[in-house]
Amino acid sequence: GAMVLQEVLNNGDDIILMDVNLPNLNGIQLTKLIKEFPFKNIKKIPIIGITANAYQENIDQCLKAGMDKVLIKPFEKEDLLKILYKTLR
């Protein structure tokens, strides 16, 4: 999880697919860091959370942290493509 922030800072990504259950620094904590980061304008990068935890409480926590959408595993590639299209449009 800690390596993700460095990757985001160095790569200039258009979108982030964020696993919610990352080791060390989980996806929710990492999303908060990205959305509050004061430099390089990375806070505007859309973040799609990916999790197997389908409880509404978990989804709400992801969205509150700053994720733009949450995709529940397992998912079909068409579901991912729809979310990517809607988010990047």
Side-chain angles (χ1 to χ4, degrees):
M3 295 174 65
V4 173
L5 185 57
Q6 184 168 347
E7 290 293 321
V8 171
L9 286 169
N10 293 331
N11 290 337
D13 299 311
D14 294 321
I15 195 163
I16 298 168
L17 297 177
M18 179 74 71
D19 188 340
V20 174
N21 294 316
L22 293 170
N24 302 323
L25 186 63
N26 72 39
I28 291 172
Q29 295 166 321
L30 192 53
T31 297
K32 288 178 183 178
L33 283 173
I34 291 169
K35 293 300 183 175
E36 295 171 358
F37 199 78
F39 308 110
K40 288 199 161 197
N41 217 17
I42 65 170
K43 60 184 160 194
K44 292 187 178 183
I45 300 172
I47 299 175
I48 310 294
I50 299 176
T51 183
N53 188 341
Y55 293 109
Q56 189 61 48
E57 179 181 328
N58 184 61
I59 294 168
D60 292 344
Q61 190 178 24
C62 292
L63 296 172
K64 185 178 178 184
M67 293 180 189
D68 297 272
K69 302 278 185 191
V70 179
L71 191 57
I72 306 299
K73 297 188 280 188
F75 55 86
E76 300 293 326
K77 70 177 178 182
E78 290 80 14
D79 297 330
L80 175 61
L81 291 173
K82 284 179 193 175
I83 287 179
L84 290 172
Y85 178 76
K86 287 180 183 179
T87 304
L88 291 173
R89 193 159 62 138

